[in-house]
Amino acid sequence: MQAKFVRIMILADLATGEKAVIVRVHGHGSFRKRLIEMGFIQGKEIRVVLNAPLKDPIEYEIIGYKVSLRREEARQIEVVTEEEAREALVSDEHLQALPADLEETERLEKALAHVAEERHHNIRVALVGNPNCGKTSLFNIASGAHEHVGNYSGVTVDAKEGKFHFKDYDITLVDLPGTYSLSAYSPEELYVRKNLLETMPDVVVNVVDASNIERNLYLTTQLIDMNLRVVMALNMYDELRHKGDKLDTVQLGYLLGMPVCPTVSRSGEGISELFDTVIRIYEHQDPKLARHIHINHGAEIELGIKHVQPYIAHNEKLKAQYSTRYLTIKYLEGDKDIEKLLKKDCSNIQDIADARSDEQQRIQALMGTSLESAIVDAKYAFIQGALAETYQRYQEERPRRTLTDRIDALVTNQWAAFPIFILLLWFIFWATFTIGQYPMDWIDAAVAWFGEKVASWMPDGWAKDLVVDGIIAGVGSVLVFLPNILILYFFISIMEDSGYMARAAFIVDKLMHKIGLHGKSFIPMVMGFGCNVPAIMATRSIESRKSRLITIAIIPFMSCAGRLPIFVLFAGAFFPENPATALLGIYLLGIVVAILSALIIGKFIKEDDLPFVMELPPYRVPTARAIGRHTWEKGKQYLEKMATTILVFSIAIWALGYFPRHEGATGAYQQEHSYIGMVGKTVEPALEHLGFNWKMDVGLLTGIGAKELVISSLGVMYAQEGSASSADEGDTALQSALKASIPTAAALAYMVFVLLYFPCIATFVAIKNETGSWWWAILLCLYTILVAWIFAFAAYRIGLLVWPV
């Protein structure tokens, strides 16, 4: 469904005498309840009577009586104005069908009611949950969006929005990052908390992993403190049933003050019932479904909350926007973010600070522990009490060894773990070459056939050269490697969705620790094999700033999918007997260089690191639908890039090689004396010690835009030099041309340089955005170029010893 821009008007914006109709009331708990009880409900007409001399408060007339509200309170009420209703009378088909004999006043009233009803049927729903709880799977199946689902934390690194229509309601579903709590511990936690407090979703869906309820419910207790309208999606409920456990979801919902809906996101079970419940909560159709509760933290802590909360509630601005009980609890915990908020907005901050200090000292003396620890303990005690009443585990005579335990005994074994990991990578690369070779040959033959046909149809001239040597040769040379890209992503998706990737992080943790990182940094590094940009964004899940910066710095050394076609091209051409081993060696070289770089960069960042804490989720069989969708999405991105960036650059490279024209000159002479030849010759002195010719240099320059452009550039420049016998040798036309003009040692150096030098522009921008510094991005890129030159030089000299020219 196509989203349309809607200008949101709030009651506080209306001028004296203006009328409007209420769409919805925002705000928290008791504040919101009080407004609704006063008659501020959806569909009611309201008029501004007058503003106080100081513009606050404002007097309104609603359902026959007058009431005054402070401006901060009026900001929480969304309305539709008469001006918007008049616009709708012109643009809305439903309103244009009104009888022509209706009076203008009546037409306006109907328009107001219609637009308010239409706006009211737009619901914003936020998905909140722990990593690996199936939140993104639920988002995908509900909204039809194609976000990637991975069985490890840190997949969702930003809020994703999906829109869908459900029973006369247009629902905007927001998939927030997975987080274990709403503290100020990690960027993800702060992001989720800020989104819930400031964006104010109409309903929050708390996605809970049914196979790990106790741990997941800690986040639920914090949502209860925030006094939001919450529906719990008890996801992966099939796993709970399979284990033989029993859960009274009705009683659990009553104890938590929210409806509990069992769901299975993988199959879609319970999703319709979940959004039925969301609508009922939104419309207040069943008050018994949701009742606000206060988690009892124990007599002494509750006394402390009762002492501090009135000081915070004294500030009307905060009272309208936030649950003051939630602010009090977080302030007592010593939450730095909440401290900043209170300092900014509270006129009596010193009184609040003094009251907290008194309570911290009193509780420390009584309980012998910090207030923060006491609050956490109280929340877990509440969770345990709720589960004791509702949850019954299946008791086995002997504890059953799960499939996850049996697999982990092998893949995390002291001696077997690393050989298995390297063997898996080798198998992926072998499959990329061996299986991918067949469709690669078919596509190459199809491109060659199409190029010959077009050449035979078109008359000689620049237009023919543009189409055949520019567009078909340039784009076709990249299209050939689409099967390899799909195969690589297919296997990476299986590793991610099954849960093996988290084990990979676990087994390398000790090695990562020695270079100043921890296992959690390994996940973005492996994601970098797909694309460096989302991998750099995924570093937000790393709590330590030092580890995050070092991880960002070394991700560009991970060979992304854009580099894969280059390596497939050169490995297949120059190392035909062992292409998979050559490709594995290149990938491992990237990891080694990343490790060495982490050791160097870590010397310049002196911040303290944080301990390694990462969940090892149970193994799950990836669904064919999820794997297919993820693989196709990456393939589609590759095709889109060919139809845009690569096409444009291919034409530009052809034009630079075609002009200026030299009478009677053709082929190599024309190119060498063209604009592109001038560019290549200019940079040649800097790279000639690596064995590169000027055409290879041009490929590297265009690769700054996108690494696939290296292939496109080479395809355009070598378009007329393919060997006629290439089909017999099993090479593509481009591979044949490269073998005829490039020494093997130079080809090896070229692969190394492409692996290590300047990442693409998109990665450069991602580094700047995540570090917040242009200088950091520029220095990293200069560093990668220096490292690439040194290692490529070494590879060339060693290569000359093995393959003399």
Side-chain angles (χ1 to χ4, degrees):
M1 182 184 132
Q2 197 70 10
K4 60 182 179 180
F5 175 75
V6 176
R7 183 182 63 210
I8 295 176
M9 292 295 294
I10 57 175
L11 187 59
D13 291 338
L14 268 61
T16 300
E18 277 194 281
K19 286 198 299 187
V21 170
I22 295 173
V23 175
R24 58 169 63 84
V25 178
H26 296 289
H28 288 80
S30 58
F31 164 79
R32 187 171 176 280
K33 183 180 178 183
R34 181 173 67 88
L35 287 179
I36 292 172
E37 289 173 346
M38 292 168 64
F40 290 85
I41 56 177
Q42 188 269 330
K44 294 298 180 183
E45 187 178 284
I46 187 167
R47 183 174 65 88
V48 184
V49 178
L50 56 88
N51 280 263
L54 298 178
K55 301 297 181 183
D56 212 357
I58 306 169
E59 186 178 354
Y60 298 99
E61 183 179 358
I62 187 169
I63 56 175
Y65 79 103
K66 294 177 182 177
V67 60
S68 68
L69 291 181
R70 291 189 176 89
R71 190 168 292 274
E72 286 299 331
E73 295 173 330
R75 289 188 190 282
Q76 304 302 318
I77 301 172
E78 184 182 335
V79 297
V80 171
T81 64
E82 290 183 321
E83 180 186 350
E84 292 174 289
R86 289 190 181 93
E87 291 175 1
L89 281 169
V90 176
S91 60
D92 192 295
E93 293 179 4
H94 176 85
L95 294 173
Q96 287 175 349
L98 288 173
D101 57 351
L102 279 180
E103 292 186 5
E104 184 63 27
T105 305
E106 192 174 354
R107 289 172 66 85
L108 191 58
E109 287 178 356
K110 287 187 177 294
L112 275 168
H114 173 74
V115 176
E117 180 71 15
E118 195 176 59
R119 296 274 179 87
H120 182 71
H121 277 232
N122 292 324
I123 309 177
R124 188 175 181 84
V125 178
L127 295 180
V128 179
N130 287 189
N132 307 312
C133 67
K135 179 170 53 62
T136 304
S137 295
L138 192 153
F139 173 81
N140 284 340
I141 200 166
S143 68
H146 295 163
E147 292 304 325
H148 175 221
V149 181
N151 195 6
Y152 56 86
S153 63
V155 171
T156 309
V157 293
D158 208 342
K160 310 292 192 306
E161 286 195 6
K163 298 178 185 293
F164 65 102
H165 191 75
F166 183 82
K167 294 188 177 179
D168 296 330
Y169 288 84
D170 293 326
I171 297 177
T172 299
L173 198 59
V174 184
D175 181 20
L176 295 173
T179 179
Y180 293 106
S181 75
L182 296 175
S183 305
Y185 185 57
S186 73
E188 286 177 329
E189 291 173 352
L190 284 172
Y191 183 89
V192 174
R193 189 167 76 181
K194 186 175 182 181
N195 195 288
L196 293 177
L197 291 175
E198 296 181 8
T199 308
M200 194 76 66
D202 296 308
V203 181
V204 174
V205 172
N206 177 207
V207 187
V208 170
D209 180 357
S211 64
N212 197 354
I213 299 177
E214 184 172 349
R215 204 279 317 284
N216 279 239
L217 286 183
Y218 182 74
L219 177 61
T220 307
T221 62
Q222 295 185 315
L223 293 173
I224 292 171
D225 289 339
M226 294 176 84
N227 200 358
L228 300 168
R229 287 187 285 180
V230 183
V231 176
M232 179 183 292
L234 195 61
N235 204 25
M236 305 181 195
Y237 198 71
D238 55 333
E239 295 187 14
L240 182 143
R241 288 192 303 244
H242 179 71
K243 290 191 295 184
D245 296 350
K246 294 181 180 179
L247 179 66
D248 186 343
T249 56
V250 175
Q251 180 64 12
L252 179 64
Y254 177 79
L255 294 174
L256 297 175
M258 66 184 70
V260 176
C261 302
T263 60
V264 182
S265 293
R266 288 155 58 93
S267 65
E269 179 186 338
I271 302 299
S272 292
E273 291 80 0
L274 171 67
F275 286 99
D276 272 331
T277 307
V278 166
I279 290 172
R280 289 162 66 193
I281 292 295
Y282 174 70
E283 297 287 10
H284 314 285
Q285 291 175 354
D286 190 348
K288 293 180 182 178
L289 270 179
R291 63 189 188 97
H292 180 57
I293 66 164
H294 283 169
I295 293 173
N296 191 328
H297 295 86
E300 298 304 329
I301 296 176
E302 288 297 327
L303 188 62
I305 294 172
K306 193 176 290 186
H307 182 200
V308 177
Q309 186 175 358
Y311 291 102
I312 295 177
H314 176 74
N315 299 273
E316 293 296 335
K317 182 178 179 181
L318 286 176
K319 191 175 178 181
Q321 280 189 288
Y322 307 99
S323 161
T324 55
R325 179 178 171 86
Y326 171 75
L327 293 179
T328 303
I329 292 169
K330 301 309 292 182
Y331 188 65
L332 288 172
E333 287 180 337
D335 189 294
K336 300 297 182 186
D337 205 51
I338 297 301
E339 287 179 356
K340 290 179 185 176
L341 175 69
L342 296 185
K343 282 180 182 177
K344 181 169 71 77
D345 291 336
C346 293
S347 58
N348 59 338
I349 184 61
Q350 190 57 52
D351 294 337
I352 298 172
D354 291 343
R356 179 179 69 170
S357 178
D358 292 343
E359 293 306 316
Q360 284 176 330
Q361 293 175 17
R362 182 181 66 82
I363 291 172
Q364 176 80 31
L366 284 171
M367 304 181 72
T369 185
S370 69
L371 192 49
E372 182 181 8
S373 297
I375 290 173
V376 172
D377 291 343
K379 280 181 163 50
Y380 273 109
F382 169 80
I383 293 167
Q384 289 163 4
L387 293 179
E389 290 189 39
T390 58
Y391 187 40
Q392 184 179 349
R393 293 183 184 275
Y394 175 68
Q395 297 295 327
E396 295 180 300
E397 293 182 8
R398 294 175 59 187
R400 183 176 54 180
R401 197 170 184 227
T402 65
L403 177 63
T404 293
D405 295 332
R406 292 195 293 271
I407 296 175
D408 276 346
L410 177 63
V411 300
T412 63
N413 180 272
Q414 180 180 1
W415 305 108
F418 286 102
I420 288 173
F421 180 63
I422 292 173
L423 187 62
L424 277 173
L425 288 180
W426 182 88
F427 173 76
I428 290 171
F429 298 138
W430 174 85
T432 300
F433 273 103
T434 306
I435 300 173
Q437 185 67 46
Y438 299 102
M440 195 171 98
D441 290 342
W442 300 336
I443 295 173
D444 184 55
V447 170
W449 174 84
F450 183 65
E452 291 172 2
K453 287 294 181 184
V454 172
S456 66
W457 294 336
M458 296 183 69
D460 290 341
W462 70 267
K464 175 181 174 179
D465 291 343
L466 168 62
V467 174
V468 176
D469 296 336
I471 297 174
I472 296 177
V475 176
S477 60
V478 179
L479 178 63
V480 165
F481 299 99
L482 175 62
N484 307 93
I485 296 290
L486 294 177
I487 291 169
L488 177 69
Y489 269 112
F490 173 78
F491 284 109
I492 288 179
S493 297
I494 291 175
M495 292 174 70
E496 291 175 342
D497 293 1
S498 66
Y500 177 75
M501 204 68 85
R503 272 68 185 182
F506 175 76
I507 65 177
V508 302
D509 176 55
K510 189 170 183 179
L511 292 176
M512 300 291 283
H513 186 69
K514 290 183 182 297
I515 63 172
L517 299 172
H518 53 55
K520 206 168 185 179
S521 297
F522 190 69
I523 298 296
M525 288 173 65
V526 175
M527 288 177 70
F529 289 152
C531 180
N532 289 170
V533 175
I536 288 170
M537 294 173 65
T539 59
R540 297 178 195 174
S541 64
I542 302 171
E543 293 85 0
S544 163
R545 184 174 180 272
K546 176 181 179 180
S547 292
R548 192 161 62 250
L549 288 175
I550 295 175
T551 306
I552 288 171
I554 64 179
I555 281 174
F557 296 123
M558 302 296 103
S559 180
C560 66
R563 296 179 176 108
L564 178 65
I566 307 168
F567 300 147
V568 171
L569 175 76
F570 278 83
F574 293 93
F575 310 103
E577 295 180 358
N578 298 292
T581 304
L583 191 55
L584 176 61
I586 281 290
Y587 274 67
L588 291 178
L589 174 64
I591 294 173
V592 169
V593 173
I595 290 171
L596 295 174
S597 298
L599 288 170
I600 295 169
I601 296 169
K603 302 291 184 184
F604 299 95
I605 304 176
K606 301 301 182 183
E607 297 181 25
D608 293 333
D609 205 348
L610 293 170
F612 171 54
V613 180
M614 183 177 174
E615 181 183 2
L616 292 180
Y619 289 101
R620 294 189 172 100
V621 179
T623 63
R625 180 179 178 182
I627 296 296
R629 182 170 57 201
H630 180 214
T631 304
W632 168 240
E633 283 296 313
K634 295 304 178 183
K636 189 172 73 170
Q637 290 174 15
Y638 192 69
L639 290 172
E640 287 172 351
K641 188 179 284 189
M642 281 192 292
T644 52
T645 307
I646 293 169
L647 175 62
V648 171
F649 273 82
S650 295
I651 294 172
I653 293 162
W654 171 85
L656 290 172
Y658 194 80
F659 298 103
R661 299 302 294 165
H662 299 277
E663 289 298 327
T666 58
Y669 183 87
Q670 166 61 32
Q671 278 198 339
E672 191 168 350
H673 293 83
S674 66
Y675 292 124
I676 204 167
M678 297 175 195
V679 173
K681 293 290 185 180
T682 301
V683 298
E684 191 174 30
L687 299 172
E688 63 182 354
H689 298 293
L690 310 181
F692 302 166
N693 60 42
W694 67 268
K695 292 182 180 180
M696 299 165 73
D697 298 341
V698 170
L700 294 175
L701 291 175
T702 58
I704 291 172
K707 289 297 174 278
E708 293 91 345
L709 292 171
V710 175
I711 296 285
S712 177
S713 302
L714 296 176
V716 172
M717 291 184 290
Y718 285 97
Q720 299 174 351
E721 299 180 29
S723 169
S725 63
S726 64
D728 298 330
E729 299 169 3
D731 291 334
T732 65
L734 180 55
Q735 285 176 322
S736 176
L738 293 173
K739 286 172 68 174
S741 58
I742 299 174
T744 302
L748 176 65
Y750 200 67
M751 293 171 71
V752 171
F753 197 91
V754 168
L755 170 72
L756 303 176
Y757 88 116
F758 186 95
C760 66
I761 291 295
T763 303
F764 175 77
V765 174
I767 292 172
K768 181 267 171 185
N769 290 340
E770 296 304 314
T771 61
S773 168
W774 281 112
W775 279 113
W776 184 259
I778 292 168
L779 288 173
L780 282 181
C781 290
L782 293 175
Y783 173 75
T784 62
I785 294 171
L786 176 63
V787 169
W789 197 97
I790 292 171
F791 275 85
F793 179 81
Y796 180 57
R797 295 303 164 187
I798 295 170
L800 287 176
L801 299 176
V802 182
W803 306 285
V805 178

